[in-house]
């Protein structure tokens, strides 16, 4: 078939790919052009993206994958990250730092990074890894992979649907879901890269089952390894090649026989996955000393997933903010009836993927539009969506209903994306009352914003917070009745207006502390707390720091939302009793039984006396 005939045959689907490509490029370049400091302030390489990307300048430019030389990283942070916290790394072994973000995203971007690096060297821009050429290279990389993903999606859809329906499906996925947001405004997140890789994985799986070529099995394994070291939860994609063409118990046994008859292919798949995946293991071993070093403060709680919140909450419900996927879920019913060999691998994947996404303790995935963790699976979800529409189009009555729903969901997605960009929809603090207030609105009245969740990072100081809180003392210890036990070192010769206090020395650096489960303290979504203490500090206390500290302790014993303040000369004087305090706002609690901790930490090791430790909480009053 000539190229011309191919274009004429598939003209609508090609037009859809071109339209989506132009849209992605136009929207992203308009965003960069209209936000004056976008490149200047390194918006493209900031926050989580900065962590994902940091492997590239560390290895290619500075030859310092463990960031042992702090000079270059401090220079980048000072010049490009402004007041953003440097939370992307954790202490490792031998003065090395461990990047908590995996390697895969950097591998995706390596070719474009090298082009940007070459351009920086040939121009007047600093070849430091974050100057404008590097930011533009990352943006172009994301747009390239987004467009490539729809090329792969077109090839996949044409295997099951007509050209016309395939074109419609690409438009519904491309501009009718939150993939649009992550292919344009936030395209430098890993999701659009993974959308492309995961869609390609399905195509490779189909190809291997059609021809059983060993090289295809190797490519599948290498791709599985790459997506897994981009986001570890992507390991669930192994279910696609594992259960492909399985429709029941009989076909499952046939699949096992197929694998046994093609042991070399299976071995190559496993070796390909291990070869790419081991890059992450070697990185962890080099930087941390351990083969596995997962350093996120959040983790997976597989026993108690947040499934209902992930699907339906007004804060970040997937089906609320991406309702197009309701039709895709309905398509699983049609898939079960018409293509059981697709239903089994796809539905098993969907359940496993939902379980992984719902089990992440930060289930709302921070400041995002809807549930971003689902975006990379939309190539797969396009298939049940297509079967649903194909079934609905068989009758005129259901055809127009389905088209109306799909059209409404597409328009709603575009409108709510606009609401998010202009600040009507909040990317993290949404609530049910506020959602309905702004639904379909072109503006949000200032008084409506009181219906949002409290912005805990921007609350007024506690002393000027007014009467909106109920005050209660929940802990007090003056050590008058304390004995010398394992975790308390009592001094019985000095105290504040007494003769007893707790002595903190190098062998006993943490004071007796407050520790209690959050749900036993309050039923409010958050509280404010103040830690008081009387302290008697040595003459050199400014060089032997003593800290007031709060933290939350999660179900796995991990500390999150840790806040610590060093007592300085503006707060205390040496060799005299001084009253000090620290204020704290609890974060979004991961689990209701997580514990609130408050304590004094003698970081310097010199003798410090502590008395009258008190924790006072302030519960927000219900309006």
């Amino acid at each position: 078939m000539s190229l011309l005939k191919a274009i004429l045959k598939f003209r609508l689907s090609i037009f859809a790919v071109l339209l989506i490509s132009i849209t992605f490029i136009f929207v992203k370049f308009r965003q960069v052009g209209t936000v004056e400091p976008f490149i200047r302030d390194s918006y493209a390489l900031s926050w989580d993206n900065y962590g994902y990307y940091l492997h590239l300048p560390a290895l290619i430019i500075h030859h310092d994958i463990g960031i042992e030389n702090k000079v270059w990283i401090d220079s980048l942070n000072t010049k490009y990250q402004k007041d953003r916290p440097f939370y992307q790394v954790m202490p490792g072994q031998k003065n090395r730092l461990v990047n908590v973000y995996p390697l895969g995203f950097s591998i995706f971007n390596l070719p474009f990074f090298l082009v940007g690096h070459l351009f920086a060297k040939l121009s007047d821009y600093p070849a430091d890894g974050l100057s404008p050429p590097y930011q533009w290279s990352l943006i172009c990389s994301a747009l390239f992979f987004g467009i490539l993903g729809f090329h792969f999606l077109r090839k996949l859809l044409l295997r099951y649907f007509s050209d016309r329906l395939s074109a419609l499906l690409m438009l519904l996925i491309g501009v009718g879901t939150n993939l649009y947001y992550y292919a344009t405004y936030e395209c430098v997140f890993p999701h659009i890269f993974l959308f492309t890789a995961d869609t390609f994985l399905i195509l490779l799986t189909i190809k291997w089952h059609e021809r059983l070529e060993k090289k295809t099995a190797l490519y599948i394994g290498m791709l599985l390894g790459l997506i897994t070291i981009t986001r570890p939860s992507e390991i669930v994609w192994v279910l696609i090649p594992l259960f492909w063409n399985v429709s029941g118990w009989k076909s499952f046994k046939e699949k096992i026989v197929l694998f046994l008859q093609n042991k070399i292919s299976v071995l190559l798949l496993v070796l390909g996955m291990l070869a790419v995946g081991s890059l992450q293991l070697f990185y962890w071993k080099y930087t941390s000393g351990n083969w596995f070093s997962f350093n996120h403060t959040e983790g997976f709680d597989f026993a108690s997933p947040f499934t209902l919140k992930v699907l339906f909450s007004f804060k970040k419900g997937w089906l609320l903010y991406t309702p197009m996927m309701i039709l895709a879920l309905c398509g699983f019913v049609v898939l079960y009836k018409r293509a059981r060999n697709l239903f089994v691998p796809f539905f098993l994947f969907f359940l496993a993927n939902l379980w992984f996404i719902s089990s992440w303790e930060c289930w709302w995935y921070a400041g995002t539009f809807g549930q971003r963790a689902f975006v990379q699976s939309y190539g797969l979800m396009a298939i049940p969506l297509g079967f649903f529409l194909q079934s609905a189009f068989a009758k005129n009555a259901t055809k127009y209903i389905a088209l109306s729903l799909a059209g409404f969901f597409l328009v709603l997605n575009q409108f709510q994306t606009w609401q998010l960009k202009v600040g009507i929809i909040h990317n993290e603090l949404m609530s049910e009352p506020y959602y309905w207030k702004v639904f379909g609105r072109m503006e949000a009245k200032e008084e409506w914003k009181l219906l949002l969740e409290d912005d805990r990072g921007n609350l007024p100081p506690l002393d000027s917070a007014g009467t909106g809180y109920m005050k209660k003392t929940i802990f007090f210890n003056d050590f008058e009745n304390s004995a010398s036990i394992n975790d308390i070192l009592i001094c019985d010769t000095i105290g504040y207006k007494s003769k007893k206090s707790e002595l903190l020395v190098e062998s006993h650096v943490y004071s007796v502390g407050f520790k209690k489960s959050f749900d036993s303290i309050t039923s409010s979504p958050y509280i404010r707390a103040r830690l008081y203490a009387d302290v008697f500090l040595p003459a050199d206390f400014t060089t032997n720091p003593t800290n007031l500290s709060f933290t939350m302790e999660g179900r796995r014993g991990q500390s999150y939302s840790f806040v610590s303040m060093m007592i300085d000369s503006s707060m205390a004087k040496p060799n005299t009793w001084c009253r000090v305090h620290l204020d704290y706002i609890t974060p979004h609690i991961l689990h209701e039984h997580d514990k609130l901790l408050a304590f004094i930490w003698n970081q310097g090791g010199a003798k410090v006396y502590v008395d009258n430790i008190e924790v006072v909480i302030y519960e927000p009053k219900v309006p």
Side-chain angles (χ1 to χ4, degrees), residues 9-29:
K9 181 177 180 180
F10 301 115
R11 60 188 181 278
L12 284 177
S13 59
I14 290 176
F15 177 76
V17 173
L18 290 174
L19 179 62
I20 290 168
S21 302
I22 293 169
T23 300
F24 288 174
I25 294 170
F26 172 76
V27 172
K28 187 61 186 180
F29 275 70

Side-chain angles (χ1 to χ4, degrees), residues 50 54 67 73-74 77 81 83-89 97:
Y50 184 39
L54 195 55
I67 314 180
I73 191 65
D74 290 342
N77 291 343
Q81 297 304 312
D83 297 325
R84 300 172 189 134
F86 187 44
Y87 62 87
Q88 293 88 353
V89 298
L97 297 177

Side-chain angles (χ1 to χ4, degrees), residues 168-286:
L168 175 62
L169 289 169
M170 283 188 285
L171 291 174
L172 295 181
I173 295 294
V175 297
T177 71
N178 60 336
L179 179 145
Y180 169 79
Y181 182 74
Y182 291 100
T184 52
Y185 298 108
E186 295 289 357
C187 64
V188 290
F189 273 89
H191 307 290
I192 195 65
F193 297 84
L194 290 170
F195 163 78
T196 300
D198 295 338
T199 305
F200 186 45
L201 178 69
I202 301 174
L203 287 171
L204 286 177
T205 299
I206 296 171
K207 182 179 179 181
W208 185 81
H209 284 79
E210 289 176 345
R211 298 191 62 178
L212 300 175
E213 291 183 330
K214 296 180 180 63
K215 64 178 182 179
T216 305
L218 177 63
Y219 296 155
I220 291 172
M222 294 174 67
L223 194 56
L224 282 170
L226 177 58
I227 64 176
T228 302
I229 64 170
T230 303
R231 286 176 67 90
S233 58
E234 296 293 290
I235 189 66
V236 298
W237 280 92
V238 74
L239 295 172
I240 297 302
L242 185 62
F243 287 94
W244 191 259
N245 279 340
V246 171
S247 58
W249 179 244
K250 179 181 177 182
S251 56
F252 180 65
K253 291 190 289 185
E254 292 172 350
K255 188 61 178 287
I256 294 175
V257 172
L258 179 66
F259 284 153
L260 291 175
Q261 291 174 344
N262 293 270
K263 294 177 184 177
I264 301 299
S265 288
V266 174
L267 179 62
L268 287 172
L269 188 154
V270 173
L271 289 176
M273 187 173 181
L274 290 176
V276 177
S278 64
L279 296 175
Q280 184 67 52
L281 301 181
F282 284 117
Y283 170 78
W284 279 332
K285 182 64 175 176
Y286 175 76

Side-chain angles (χ1 to χ4, degrees), residues 1-10 14:
M1 181 182 296
S2 67
L3 178 62
L4 178 60
K5 288 183 178 179
I7 292 174
L8 291 174
K9 181 177 180 180
F10 301 115
I14 290 176

